[in-house]
Amino acid sequence: MVWRMSEPDSVSSPADTAAHPGEIGAEVIARHLPTLPLGPGVYRMIDARGEVLYVGKARSLRKRVSSYAKTSGLSIRIQRMVRQVASVEVTTTHTEAEALLLEANLIKRLQPPFNVLLKDDKSFPYILIARDHPFPSITKHRGARDVPGEYFGPFASTGAVHITLNALSRAFPLRSCTDSEFASRSRPCLQYQIKRCTAPCVGRISEAEYARLVNEARDFLSGRNRHVLDDWRRRMEAASEALDFETAAELRDRIRALAHITQKQDVNLADIDDADVIAIHAEGGLVCIQIFFFRAGQNFGNRAYFPAHARDVELDEVLDAFIGQFYAQREPPRLILISHPAGNAELIEEALTKHARRKVELHCPQRGLKRDLVEHAVNNARDALRRRLAETSTQQQLLKGVAELFGLEAPPQRIEVYDNSHIMGRHAVGAMIVAGPEGLRKNAYRKFNIRGEDIAPGDDYAMMKQVLTRRFQRLLKEDAEGSEADWPDLLLIDGGKGQLSATLQVMQELGITDVPVVGIAKGPDRNAGREQFFLPGREPFMLEPRHPVLFFLQRLRDEAHRFAIGTHRAKRSKDQIRSPLDEIPGIGAARKKALLLHFGSAKAVARAGLADLEAVDGVSKAMAKRIYDHFNGS
């Protein structure tokens, strides 16, 4: 979803508020205060490199930005930010609610370091009943809603969707196959044999009967399960009285399956239809926000978030920022229950109502069943945060052990692990994973397609050299441009003496002398627990098989291997489905489809004559000549 708002009235360019030579910080802000508008809008504090430091919204831009000109009353965090300001950009809006929506969008997109940031922001899965087929499928869907149909959710995780779909298939035996699988079937599949599908692909059910099943599934997912159960019971009794015991038994089994689904809901409220429950808990300098999803009166699961923030930020500010960013690209439900009062509750309600184009209520219950539900979410937030704190403490101990083992000056805050993957030199890729005090940093993972024909097939040393050269040349370039490059405190290379030598050669050629490098090689017979470690200037050594640091390093090595293998397989699969037609300039998806439909295969296209190619819909004479010349070497 995108925010639906009026166009901004005006935008000031960076040049309008640029600093004079030698001027920075509060001086920049103070000099340009008279030119700032008095109305609502969003401001962006920008440093000398053009990076956005902070995004904020205001009812009056001039009054709000003026508060930064006198640093004495600001928090330490904001004073630090003001000292770096070289320019200010503002965007005016019609209302403060529009400013709140725009602020949330910009924070999500720009990730300014001085804002509260929602880091883990993956999309949620839904259940989709498609509407683009006479026999609609019921499947999991994630991402843009570009498939015609009805979407039910969100669910907290893919696992929750799979459990629900598995249970639904017992009560509503709808197909879950793709349209191409449906079209190619000549006999029922296993799902039909185990009574999880009615085999519409081979005519085992009429279109009208199948539509009835679809409507029943839709009613259940929309919260009308009592209506569905009552209808089934009436039909079961009628079938029994008519001595149609097979139909009666089928309906009985479906009633039991549906009852099983409804009984599995461990947290429910009778008077809640659609609602999100958001609870926040702070401890040990960290914050956890737990969100539960209720749709159609059913619990669709929960998810924990750990937003990045400074230690001096108040809970209501964290909660406000989370709600704004969380719903920036999601449609909010009609009711949002929160554990603590929001700092700008009325403004958030107005903004979310504008975003959803219907009334959205933000409510902090103080008693009753709704308060019990919020307390349940708070307990989950507390437990999740304590688990995170325990994991962080353990991780810090492991990093300290790594520093002692490899003679580092301090526990590494960023470990980069590298591995290659290929089959006889084909589809070669390099992979980098990153770990630190917070665990694996999957958003920092990188993959490298091995380039160049000068690398001999299977030359692991040359592949590693190329990957590391590209990686560290990029870091050197970022440093030269004044950016804050993410330099590693430790390099782990999957391999022994040869890989270590190749890595050290790259470091020497690039003039990098302060990055420690360690090679980790599998033991004899590739046994886990007998790994050898290679460091410059030291003899290879092993750790005790049960050493905790060994387990930690094994996990990092295995994660790099998993990521490299997955990247290699994805590249190999992509190459396997490539068509010779993809190599012809001007052949897009539509022309490729038309050619394959007309001739049946790419081989047949290659053998076709010029007149045959011209007969294909959408292929001009010039394009037909280009295709013909490509395959016939003209």
Side-chain angles (χ1 to χ4, degrees):
M1 297 240 175
V2 294
W3 294 118
R4 304 177 181 97
M5 62 171 69
S6 307
E7 289 293 320
D9 293 326
S10 63
V11 180
S12 67
S13 67
D16 295 334
T17 55
H20 288 175
E23 186 182 49
I24 199 165
E27 298 174 352
V28 175
I29 298 170
R31 182 166 59 84
H32 292 286
L33 283 177
T35 65
L36 294 180
L38 289 168
V42 172
Y43 58 92
R44 298 179 289 288
M45 301 295 188
I46 300 170
D47 66 13
R49 300 192 307 271
E51 300 291 330
V52 177
L53 298 167
Y54 184 80
V55 175
K57 58 97 182 132
R59 181 180 302 172
S60 169
L61 283 167
R62 187 184 302 176
K63 289 181 181 178
R64 180 70 185 94
V65 175
S66 69
S67 66
Y68 295 98
K70 297 179 181 179
T71 58
S72 56
L74 302 175
S75 67
I76 301 298
R77 172 177 64 101
I78 299 301
Q79 286 182 31
R80 217 167 74 242
M81 182 270 293
V82 168
R83 284 196 292 270
Q84 301 178 46
V85 173
S87 62
V88 182
E89 289 182 0
V90 300
T91 302
T92 62
T93 58
H94 295 297
T95 65
E96 191 180 2
E98 288 182 0
L100 179 66
L101 299 178
L102 180 57
E103 176 198 40
N105 257 335
L106 289 173
I107 291 172
K108 280 174 64 67
R109 180 163 59 87
L110 301 173
Q111 297 283 295
F114 289 91
N115 283 95
V116 176
L117 301 177
L118 176 57
K119 293 286 188 180
D120 181 11
D121 198 24
K122 297 177 182 176
S123 62
F124 289 93
Y126 286 76
I127 286 178
L128 166 65
I129 297 181
R131 277 203 310 257
D132 57 353
H133 196 280
F135 294 96
S137 61
I138 180 168
T139 56
K140 181 197 79 173
H141 182 88
R142 195 172 208 153
R145 300 190 186 186
D146 50 4
V147 178
E150 293 169 274
Y151 295 82
F152 300 92
F155 287 80
S157 66
T158 302
V161 174
H162 288 157
I163 291 170
T164 304
L165 284 174
N166 185 49
L168 282 173
S169 66
R170 299 174 184 269
F172 310 100
L174 301 173
R175 73 178 183 92
S176 57
C177 58
T178 64
D179 291 350
S180 59
E181 289 172 333
F182 180 94
S184 64
R185 295 299 305 182
S186 58
R187 59 182 179 178
C189 65
L190 180 62
Q191 294 286 45
Y192 174 77
Q193 306 296 336
I194 62 175
K195 299 183 179 179
R196 301 293 183 88
C197 181
T198 47
C201 52
V202 291
R204 297 295 173 91
I205 185 173
S206 69
E207 191 171 332
E209 279 298 311
Y210 192 88
R212 183 175 187 172
L213 273 178
V214 172
N215 290 332
E216 290 171 346
R218 184 183 295 115
D219 285 345
F220 174 77
L221 289 169
S222 300
R224 296 188 289 274
N225 50 314
R226 179 56 53 189
H227 167 75
V228 175
L229 281 169
D230 289 344
D231 180 52
W232 286 358
R233 289 192 181 102
R234 284 194 299 269
R235 290 165 55 193
M236 181 181 68
E237 291 169 3
S240 181
E241 290 174 3
L243 304 182
D244 185 359
F245 298 119
E246 186 177 349
T247 300
E250 180 185 330
L251 287 165
R252 177 204 62 200
D253 293 342
R254 292 172 65 188
I255 289 169
R256 286 177 180 173
L258 197 58
H260 178 70
I261 298 171
T262 55
Q263 287 168 4
K264 282 185 71 69
Q265 299 296 329
D266 54 343
V267 182
N268 284 307
L269 283 182
D271 57 345
I272 283 188
D273 186 21
D274 288 0
D276 286 348
V277 181
I278 300 176
I280 185 170
H281 179 74
E283 191 175 324
L286 296 178
V287 164
C288 176
I289 294 179
Q290 189 83 216
I291 179 166
F292 279 77
F293 305 98
F294 288 84
R295 296 296 183 271
Q298 300 180 56
N299 177 15
F300 279 7
N302 58 297
R303 184 182 288 188
Y305 289 87
F306 301 90
H309 65 94
R311 289 178 179 265
D312 60 347
V313 178
E314 298 296 330
L315 276 187
D316 60 345
E317 185 180 343
V318 177
L319 188 60
D320 284 8
F322 174 84
I323 294 173
Q325 293 176 52
F326 185 80
Y327 293 110
Q329 293 179 328
R330 298 185 182 94
E331 186 173 342
R334 296 182 182 277
L335 176 64
I336 301 173
L337 300 177
I338 52 178
S339 61
H340 295 67
N344 295 287
E346 291 184 6
L347 181 61
I348 292 172
E349 276 190 351
E350 182 185 348
L352 294 181
T353 296
K354 187 179 186 67
H355 171 38
R357 294 186 174 179
R358 53 172 167 72
K359 176 65 176 174
V360 175
E361 179 186 359
L362 199 66
H363 180 47
C364 181
Q366 301 302 312
R367 62 183 66 85
L369 290 174
K370 290 180 180 177
R371 185 62 203 176
D372 292 342
L373 184 58
V374 168
E375 286 297 334
H376 177 76
V378 170
N379 292 335
N380 275 267
R382 183 185 300 112
D383 292 344
L385 184 55
R386 287 176 179 173
R387 286 194 299 272
R388 171 61 70 94
L389 289 170
E391 291 168 1
T392 303
S393 176
T394 303
Q395 188 83 355
Q396 290 286 7
Q397 289 298 318
L398 290 170
L399 293 174
K400 185 178 179 182
V402 169
E404 292 172 355
L405 177 66
F406 297 139
L408 307 181
E409 294 180 358
Q413 300 302 296
R414 182 184 174 97
I415 301 175
E416 293 185 358
V417 190
Y418 291 84
D419 192 12
N420 296 328
S421 183
H422 60 91
I423 294 179
M424 302 295 292
R426 289 176 54 80
H427 310 109
V429 295
M432 177 191 85
I433 71 156
V434 180
E438 69 280 16
L440 296 172
R441 295 175 52 187
K442 295 196 174 184
N443 62 338
Y445 286 16
R446 295 293 180 267
K447 49 192 174 186
F448 303 83
N449 288 317
I450 305 299
R451 304 170 183 163
E453 299 179 358
D454 55 332
I455 295 179
D459 188 347
D460 284 324
Y461 303 151
M463 292 179 190
M464 185 63 70
K465 281 184 179 180
Q466 182 182 120
V467 169
L468 292 168
T469 300
R470 286 161 58 185
R471 167 65 180 155
F472 283 91
Q473 279 180 342
R474 173 73 175 268
L475 291 176
L476 291 170
K477 182 181 178 183
E478 289 176 358
D479 269 357
E481 292 174 348
S483 302
E484 293 185 12
D486 286 326
W487 283 87
D489 302 309
L490 175 65
L491 284 192
L492 275 182
I493 306 298
D494 184 30
K497 187 176 180 180
Q499 280 83 358
L500 178 65
S501 297
T503 302
L504 293 176
Q505 184 179 342
V506 171
M507 298 292 113
Q508 185 179 5
E509 289 172 356
L510 296 177
I512 299 169
T513 59
D514 55 351
V515 177
V517 182
V518 176
I520 175 171
K522 296 180 178 66
D525 300 323
R526 306 178 72 85
N527 286 340
R530 303 186 64 188
E531 284 84 357
Q532 284 189 310
F533 295 94
F534 294 79
L535 279 77
R538 288 176 60 177
E539 288 296 318
F541 63 91
M542 299 169 62
L543 294 176
E544 298 175 8
R546 296 181 180 273
H547 199 295
V549 174
L550 175 61
F551 286 146
F552 174 63
L553 295 172
Q554 283 173 344
R555 289 200 303 273
L556 294 185
R557 189 266 319 277
D558 292 345
E559 172 65 6
H561 191 59
R562 181 203 64 80
F563 185 56
I565 287 288
T567 304
H568 163 74
R569 286 175 177 164
K571 183 179 181 183
R572 189 177 66 197
S573 297
K574 185 177 179 182
D575 285 350
Q576 285 173 347
I577 62 174
R578 281 183 61 85
S579 166
L581 299 176
D582 295 325
E583 301 171 7
I584 306 173
I587 297 292
R591 282 199 179 111
K592 179 179 170 183
K593 183 178 180 181
L595 287 163
L596 292 175
L597 285 173
H598 186 90
F599 292 103
S601 69
K603 271 188 180 178
V605 176
R607 291 195 299 263
L610 189 59
D612 296 326
L613 292 168
E614 292 174 356
V616 178
D617 289 340
V619 176
S620 64
K621 288 187 176 182
M623 179 56 66
K625 183 70 165 60
R626 185 183 301 173
I627 298 169
Y628 183 83
D629 290 346
H630 176 82
F631 288 115
N632 292 277
S634 300

